[in-house]
Amino acid sequence: MKRACLACLLAACCLPAGAQALRDPTRPPAFLVQGGGAGARAAAAAPTGPRLQSILIARQPGGRHVAVIDGETVRLGDLHRGARVTRMSANEVELVRGSERRVLKLNAPSGALPAGAIERVRKD
């Protein structure tokens, strides 16, 4: 009886494992990865340009102002891809390059300009 149990145990150990492949939680949805879907067209139509990811402003006056744009940490007055960071508030950052002014918004309400919308500034 012990030999039979041992033989069954050995046979079970020799069987190939039927493990299920794990899904990568960081992988984008399939409709964005596979070209041609409505989601891919919407992603292609989305405005390109810098994306504001977070803003940190110190509570004390004159404290640090830091923003994360496309994964890069910038401070007030720094350059981001050739544009100067000129203003930061609780939900937006302003970038200026020459006569072009770009306001990046964190949580733009619906109907507002999309993040990265460009406004032309006239210099007198």
Side-chain angles (χ1 to χ4, degrees), residues 58-83:
R59 291 182 185 210
Q60 65 269 18
R64 211 169 24 166
H65 288 62
V66 179
V68 178
I69 304 172
D70 293 334
E72 179 185 339
T73 301
V74 293
R75 297 175 190 258
L76 202 55
D78 285 355
L79 287 175
H80 175 73
R81 297 185 183 171

Side-chain angles (χ1 to χ4, degrees), residues 12-52:
C13 290
C14 294
L15 292 175
Q20 176 180 346
L22 295 176
R23 185 171 107 40
D24 181 4
T26 62
R27 183 180 169 91
F31 68 88
L32 289 178
V33 176
Q34 301 167 352
R41 286 190 298 276
T48 59
R51 189 174 78 109
L52 180 61

